[in-house]
Amino acid sequence: MTQEALNVLVLNNFSDAIMERLKAISPRLKFTRKVVKSANEISPDTWKTVDILYTSSVAPEPDTAPRLRWIQSHSAGVDHLLAHPLLASEDIALTTTSGIHGPKMAEYTLAMMLAFGHKLPTMFRLQQKAEWPENRSEPLVPRELRGSTLGIVGYGSIGRATARVAQAFGMQVLATKRDVMHPAAVNEYHIPDAGDPEGTQVNRLYPPEAIKSMVAESDFVQITVPSTPANHHLINESVLAAMKKTGVIINIARGDLIDEAALIKALQTGMIGGAALDVFEQEPLPPNSPLWRMDNVIITPHIGGNTDHYNESASDVFEQNLRRYLNDEELLNRVDRKRGY
């Protein structure tokens, strides 16, 4: 008995090689690839036939895609998609590419910890001034990662990949997790040998309510929780006050997770030692933000998850999920609408 064809609309610039690999999964899958900026650039007749949608942010209005049953996001964060009227229907599954960013963002966090630990911002300023300081031992004495403590706010795929790297450097790893009794990842995509699916790379888990206790023990604090209403300004004045005065905060998640005004005050007053920030409450970061001119801040323009093989990794998640969909198996990285991730 011939099974019904499934129409897959890919709104991403996947290469021909990637598309051929996806097409080889099953003759049931009929692919259309288009790169558009709005749903209106797709004809109504096309939307009527779509069963599966691969997209970054473009999605149809609810009544225009009656056959749509699954959306695979091109990103890990889906706060922008969850706000779309289409996702009000529980009949439509939403999955993410969570898991592909772990190794790259772990490297980003490692780079920032090494930069602060080895006083690279200070050394770059000295280089620009062609200055060889007479007393260079005390201000430039490094802080070894070995023996230091990393606190991870949110032990998801990025936190797990970072924990693995941190452990290799001899660091102690602490982390907050919603369910501390079950550290292992469940039905999540992960790159082999790049993360911690079993939850064995963390020395101690804390419930989210105990975040202050965790940051008080941490030399570095990595933010990797999703942006949800419950997590808005999760890092506030009281959490910053609980950190070590030498502590460095690293945000590679979303800007609204930190109360930016409180962070600026904490940095200006020496409440904490420094910050490495890839995301901000307003992006681009306004030129008049005090963060630009702080010696104890490293700023990057929301590029922490970028990699030169992003499409290849993202399409691997999509391929695995397409196979699962065809076999009526549970999809990887399925979003829980109530939690928001």
Side-chain angles (χ1 to χ4, degrees), residues 34 39-48 64:
K34 291 181 178 292
N40 294 333
E41 296 177 57
I42 304 295
S43 72
D45 288 341
T46 298
W47 280 127
K48 287 178 184 177
T64 61

Side-chain angles (χ1 to χ4, degrees), residues 155-164 177 183-185 188 194-199:
Y155 203 57
S157 59
I158 296 168
R160 292 170 186 273
T162 308
R164 188 185 186 99
K177 191 177 186 297
E188 297 176 4
D196 181 27
E198 302 303 321

Side-chain angles (χ1 to χ4, degrees), residues 209-270:
E209 299 78 17
I211 185 173
K212 293 181 189 177
S213 297
M214 186 194 76
V215 302
E217 300 292 326
S218 303
D219 298 295
F220 301 93
V221 177
Q222 180 198 56
I223 313 300
T224 51
V225 289
S227 174
T228 66
N231 287 339
H232 182 74
H233 284 186
L234 174 67
I235 308 301
N236 52 32
E237 185 176 4
S238 63
V239 173
L240 293 166
M243 287 179 61
K244 294 181 178 182
K245 287 188 178 296
T246 55
V248 173
I249 195 162
I250 303 167
N251 190 8
I252 49 175
R254 288 290 188 270
D256 68 335
L257 298 170
I258 297 181
D259 181 339
E260 208 162 277
L263 175 63
I264 290 170
K265 180 180 177 182
L267 290 163
Q268 288 174 331
T269 60

Side-chain angles (χ1 to χ4, degrees), residues 131-144:
E131 181 179 331
W132 188 286
E134 290 184 14
N135 177 22
R136 54 189 194 279
S137 296
E138 186 176 339
L140 296 178
V141 66
R143 177 199 303 174
E144 290 186 42

Side-chain angles (χ1 to χ4, degrees), residues 176-198:
T176 64
K177 191 177 186 297
R178 190 174 55 87
D179 184 358
V180 296
M181 300 303 295
H182 299 91
V186 179
N187 220 48
E188 297 176 4
Y189 175 87
H190 68 274
I191 297 173
D193 301 321
D196 181 27
E198 302 303 321

